[in-house]
Amino acid sequence: MPAGGGRVSPLPAVHAVLSAPDAAPLLDRFGRDDTVSAVREALDSLRQAGHTADVGQVVVSAAAILDYRHRPRVRPVFNLTGTVLHTNLGRAPLPMEAVEAATAAMTGAIPLEFDLGRAKRGDRDDLVENWLCRLTGAEAATVVNNNAGAVLLMLHALAAKAEVVVSRGELVEIGGAFRIPEVMSRAQARLREVGTTNRTHLRDFEAAIGPKTAALMKVHTSNYAVIGFTAQPAEAELAKLAHDHGLPFLVDLGAGSLIDLERYGLPHEPTPRETLAQGADLVSFSGDKLLGGPQAGIIVGRKDLIARIKKNPLKRALRMDKIRLAALEAVLKLYADPDRLAERLPTLRLLTRKADDIKALGERLLPAVQAAMDGKARVTLEACHSQIGSGALPVDLLPSWALVMRPVTPIRSEGRWLEQMAAEWREHPVPVIGRVADGALWLDLRCLEDETALLAQLA
Ligand SMILES: *Cc1c(COP(=O)(O)O)cnc(C)c1O
């Protein structure tokens, strides 16, 4: 009820705000419904706070509400964490070839499940299967949403209601609740764990095999290393044992680099080709870890087993979409020319970046960053180590250089200062994500390719 006695409302009416000339650009940009709801929201909060405001002020706060509402949540950030394949920052950046292929697939029709030669229904796996077989030496391949899905599917298709034998040293938890024992039970397979945390022998596997056994499995311990007094049977031995009992040998390889990384001066990581050559019947791995492609779970290996997987209803539930299939095909094609791969595939380019080049980049940036942080932080250029990330090669660190922020003078609440400093870097138009360690904020420059963009937002 409006109060009597000629009191004027301290706030304008919604229609008055909307018909003001100032509101026209908002209506134009955001449409009527969204603008009306923002004006109402602005008026409500002014009313609740007991403020008065004129039409112009209401338009300004409605504009702020709309800007915030429409700001993309998916937006670029600078990954200066020092972790190249950072799961929380989207893992592998894709090459332009993949971007172009994905764009074409997004904006139009593609022969996703259509055999162009014979004009009949095809299988979406056919788009990438030839490349995957060529690059791994496998007979057949299939692709699903991610490697967690690939492992779930593989186990459900081949071992539902039966036992899968795994070493106790490999009951891995990957971030985000992927744990082998739990995936196993969701796949309706029974985990038969053998051996101990540090040592498992071939005879442990052998003793566990019985009428209920459906497969032997090896899980690449990608995000940790057991060192010291350890033993695990060789893959070739496990494969032979499995085959002697008419069982398949399955391997979850995790990162699954498609090529020998030593060729590029990086530490060795087992490849699907090597694993198949050791006798594995199926190998699963991620598309967006060391492979450097879009999120995907790839299974390669024996044709009859892949055929069983393709018939499983979970395959349909976990299938890949056309956009990522297009990107994956484009990335796989780059592997045909390993000589140029380190230039063309961003993941490999970043992983193989030379410490001296990163240092030179740091020297170019240092004066501008020091000037921008003048009085706020003491900035130095220091050697550090980057990580590959995504669980790949957990103990191997890559020499790198970082811009390091510390308080100008020693302070007591250092933890708070560091949090604030990190938050300040995240507030840039393109947020800069660093790493807090050893009483400093580290901006590892390994993954900084666009230095001009970083400098532009410092100014
Ligand atoms: C990363 C990883 C997974 C999960 O793969 P996503 O592609 O992230 O689903 C499964 N197993 C191992 C050994 C891994 O390293």
Side-chain angles (χ1 to χ4, degrees):
M1 272 291 166
R7 252 176 64 190
V8 188
S9 167
L11 292 169
V14 173
H15 70 84
V17 178
L18 291 172
S19 53
D22 287 2
L26 294 187
L27 286 162
D28 193 41
R29 193 164 145 218
F30 298 104
R32 184 162 181 88
D33 288 9
D34 216 12
T35 308
V36 169
S37 91
V39 168
R40 290 222 166 92
E41 200 178 311
L43 287 168
D44 281 349
S45 52
L46 288 163
R47 191 172 299 117
Q48 268 164 29
H51 289 270
T52 60
D54 61 19
V55 166
Q57 288 162 323
V58 177
V59 170
V60 168
S61 54
I65 289 168
L66 286 164
D67 276 337
Y68 183 75
R69 207 183 269 170
H70 283 260
R71 197 182 65 184
R73 297 298 189 266
V74 177
R75 58 193 182 123
V77 301
F78 285 109
N79 171 13
L80 305 192
T81 59
T83 301
V84 178
L85 294 168
H86 200 300
T87 298
N88 306 143
L89 299 179
R91 292 194 184 158
L94 294 183
M96 276 326 287
E97 287 84 347
V99 173
E100 280 156 20
T103 308
M106 273 194 278
T107 46
I110 62 159
L112 180 61
E113 295 182 345
F114 186 76
D115 183 333
L116 281 172
R118 292 181 291 169
K120 52 177 233 169
R121 205 195 144 122
D123 179 347
R124 64 179 65 206
D125 286 341
D126 293 348
L127 298 177
V128 290
E129 189 172 18
N130 282 346
W131 279 114
L132 287 169
C133 291
R134 252 184 123 103
L135 294 167
T136 63
E139 284 174 9
T142 185
V143 186
V144 291
N145 180 60
N146 59 8
N147 189 33
V151 174
L152 179 74
L153 174 60
M154 193 159 69
L155 290 169
H156 190 262
L158 305 180
K161 305 206 171 72
E163 287 182 1
V164 179
V165 191
V166 187
S167 162
R168 287 202 171 88
E170 297 176 356
L171 300 178
V172 181
E173 173 177 314
I174 311 293
F178 177 92
R179 306 167 103 193
I180 288 294
E182 277 145 45
V183 172
M184 199 72 82
S185 68
R186 292 299 160 127
Q188 295 180 317
R190 271 194 308 279
L191 170 63
R192 181 71 194 267
E193 26 181 303
V194 295
T196 61
T197 307
N198 56 328
R199 287 173 75 83
T200 302
H201 306 283
L202 194 65
R203 60 175 185 273
D204 297 323
F205 278 88
E206 194 159 15
I209 295 176
K212 297 208 179 102
T213 313
L216 306 190
M217 185 174 184
K218 183 168 180 63
V219 182
H220 190 51
T221 57
S222 33
N223 53 4
Y224 68 99
V226 181
I227 50 170
F229 186 53
T230 63
Q232 290 293 337
E235 281 168 8
E237 289 176 325
L238 279 173
K240 178 164 187 309
L241 179 65
H243 299 159
D244 285 349
H245 289 83
L247 299 169
F249 175 43
L250 315 177
V251 179
D252 170 10
L253 206 52
S257 170
L258 282 179
I259 33 152
D260 184 0
L261 292 177
E262 278 171 307
R263 173 181 181 149
Y264 305 94
L266 290 165
H268 184 76
E269 172 77 11
T271 65
R273 182 186 287 283
E274 286 165 5
T275 311
L276 290 170
Q278 294 297 308
D281 297 288
L282 288 178
V283 179
S284 82
F285 50 99
S286 296
D288 55 352
K289 292 185 180 173
L290 286 172
L291 195 152
Q295 182 186 303
I298 300 166
I299 309 173
V300 295
R302 251 167 64 188
K303 205 177 186 111
D304 60 323
L305 300 179
I306 296 282
R308 274 169 71 187
I309 286 174
K310 283 178 186 250
K311 282 203 208 92
N312 189 286
L314 275 182
K315 164 69 166 96
R316 172 65 178 77
L318 294 167
R319 77 181 181 190
M320 273 267 272
D321 61 279
K322 65 171 181 174
I323 304 166
R324 287 186 288 146
L325 271 167
L328 181 61
E329 184 193 21
V331 169
L332 294 175
K333 260 177 8 195
L334 297 182
Y335 278 87
D337 183 4
D339 292 337
R340 279 191 291 168
L341 193 62
E343 295 156 42
R344 296 160 90 190
L345 190 69
T347 298
L348 196 58
R349 185 167 69 228
L350 296 172
L351 289 175
T352 54
R353 218 166 167 191
K354 298 214 168 40
D356 284 346
D357 295 343
I358 303 171
K359 185 181 185 190
L361 166 64
E363 281 163 352
R364 291 196 296 277
L365 290 171
L366 186 62
V369 176
Q370 280 173 333
M373 302 311 288
D374 191 30
K376 281 197 257 183
R378 185 163 56 83
V379 188
T380 50
L381 179 65
E382 293 179 37
C384 67
H385 284 98
S386 318
Q387 290 191 16
I388 294 175
S390 277
L393 307 155
V395 287
D396 293 299
L397 297 168
L398 312 168
S400 185
W401 287 81
L403 293 170
V404 188
M405 324 279 136
R406 292 194 177 81
V408 181
T409 52
I411 50 167
R412 257 191 308 140
S413 51
E414 190 188 73
R416 256 242 307 272
W417 184 91
L418 286 169
E419 253 170 58
Q420 275 166 6
M421 183 52 46
E424 196 169 306
W425 280 92
R426 290 197 306 271
E427 275 159 19
H428 281 292
V430 180
V432 178
I433 322 276
R435 176 180 77 226
V436 170
D438 305 326
L441 173 67
W442 299 72
L443 304 180
D444 184 326
L445 300 173
R446 171 172 296 276
C447 295
L448 178 65
E449 295 206 286
D450 191 351
E451 58 183 285
T452 331
L454 184 81
L455 284 173
Q457 63 177 10
L458 286 183

